[in-house]
Amino acid sequence: LTGIRILDLSQVVAGPLATMMLAEQGADVFKIEAPGGETIRLGNPESMVGLFANNNRGKRCVSVDLGREGASALLLDMAKTCDVFVENFRPGVAGRLGVGYEAVRAAKPDIIYCSINGFGNDGPHADRPALDPVIQALTGMIAGQASMSLPFPDLIRTLVADKATAYTAAQAITAALFARDRGAGGQRLDLSM
């Protein structure tokens, strides 16, 4: 993926792990963080906790206050030089911030725009935030676990829903880049955990 540029507004695990895999394949990834750092840094931008470092290695981190005037214009200018835009806000948030699919596509018509969220863009749970244990519970993964040491089902302790989503996102982005290279143009990719 040498020469591919990615603007990454994702945080926690699913989005950052996807873009980290693409960075390891040679993409140039610009990670946008709120002032003070992403949530996983635990509020300390100097602290490179293992989970953050593992999911964000090989990226260039840039601090942008998305709530400030001019932030969306800055990000849209950055998007003009990128091939891929990744965000994992709840549905509608990117649009309210001025960096929804339509705005980014207007700035860069052949962009690959990947949106990751917990429950999809519509439906009864669309506006809810999602974490891996919640997805494991709602999909029945927890009920399927059996352990001789516990009298009840237990979590899979490796963030399996986040990781499966990340692998799917990275593969979908790569496939969309390949399709664009063959003349298909840009695409919007919507993934839910």
Side-chain angles (χ1 to χ4, degrees), residues 12 16-17 20 24 31 33 38 40-41 47-59 61:
V12 188
L17 177 58
M20 183 277 297
E24 294 216 331
K31 180 176 177 67
E33 293 187 69
E38 183 196 323
I40 294 300
R41 286 188 193 254
S47 173
M48 294 297 274
V49 296
L51 184 61
F52 179 85
N54 187 57
N55 292 316
N56 291 287
R57 63 183 181 261
K59 301 178 187 180
C61 295

Side-chain angles (χ1 to χ4, degrees), residues 83 101 105 108-113 176 179-180 183-188:
D83 301 284
Y101 173 66
R105 190 180 73 155
K108 174 79 172 180
D110 66 346
I111 196 84
I112 307 302
Y113 188 102
R180 187 183 75 174
Q187 290 188 45
R188 179 178 182 162

Side-chain angles (χ1 to χ4, degrees), residues 60-98:
R60 300 183 214 202
C61 295
V62 179
S63 179
V64 177
D65 183 348
L66 299 178
R68 288 191 69 162
E69 186 176 332
S72 62
L74 171 68
L75 294 176
L76 293 173
D77 280 345
M78 290 179 76
K80 289 176 187 177
T81 68
C82 291
D83 301 284
V84 179
F85 187 100
V86 179
E87 58 90 358
N88 66 346
F89 300 116
R90 283 179 281 174
V93 172
R96 288 193 299 273
L97 292 172

Side-chain angles (χ1 to χ4, degrees), residues 1 5 22-23 29 39-40 48 53 55 71 83-84 90 93-95 102 106 115 148 154 164 168 170 191:
L1 296 176
R5 293 168 56 101
L22 299 171
V29 179
T39 308
I40 294 300
M48 294 297 274
N55 292 316
D83 301 284
V84 179
R90 283 179 281 174
V93 172
E102 294 301 329
S115 179
M148 298 300 286
D154 194 14
T168 302
L191 290 97

Side-chain angles (χ1 to χ4, degrees), residues 117-135:
N117 58 53
F119 301 101
N121 290 322
D122 53 33
H125 301 297
D127 290 333
R128 293 184 179 182
L131 295 172
D132 196 274
V134 172
I135 300 300

Side-chain angles (χ1 to χ4, degrees), residues 112 173-187:
I112 307 302
I173 290 167
T174 304
L177 286 166
F178 186 71
R180 187 183 75 174
D181 194 46
R182 290 188 162 190
Q187 290 188 45

